[in-house]
Amino acid sequence: LRFWRELCALAGNAYISDFLHRLRMQSWVFAVPHLRGADDISACLWTGHDEVVSALGVGDFEAARVLIAAYNDDSLTWAERLPR
């Protein structure tokens, strides 16, 4: 959560940053009970944080956008597999 909050703050829009942080907090509250029941939690969590930082560090904003889109897709795919 801290990673995404600080990354979003770089955009310089406190309102959007706070809004997205609240959404992420609610998503995390929803996800935790499901993650606790996972046999292999590493299979449920996205691990591309270093790549996003590296892309931003060299100014490759398109690569960062693609990586963040992959994160969003992974999150949605994980949520779609949850029991209804």
Side-chain angles (χ1 to χ4, degrees):
L1 290 172
R2 182 176 177 186
F3 172 82
W4 293 111
R5 184 170 180 96
E6 292 186 19
L7 182 66
C8 194
L10 293 174
N13 186 325
Y15 178 79
I16 296 292
S17 180
D18 289 344
F19 175 74
L20 291 173
H21 180 67
R22 285 191 305 273
L23 285 176
R24 287 187 190 98
M25 287 293 295
Q26 292 299 315
S27 298
W28 187 244
V29 167
F30 168 80
V32 165
H34 298 285
L35 293 171
R36 284 186 179 147
D39 293 332
D40 180 13
I41 194 169
S42 65
C44 303
L45 301 174
W46 187 74
T47 59
H49 300 90
D50 291 339
E51 292 86 354
V52 171
V53 170
S54 294
L56 292 172
V58 297
D60 191 349
F61 302 112
E62 179 58 22
R65 187 197 65 74
V66 168
L67 290 164
I68 293 169
Y71 162 77
N72 292 335
D73 290 343
D74 285 351
S75 297
L76 290 173
T77 299
W78 174 80
E80 288 170 352
R81 287 192 308 252
L82 294 176
R84 295 187 186 253

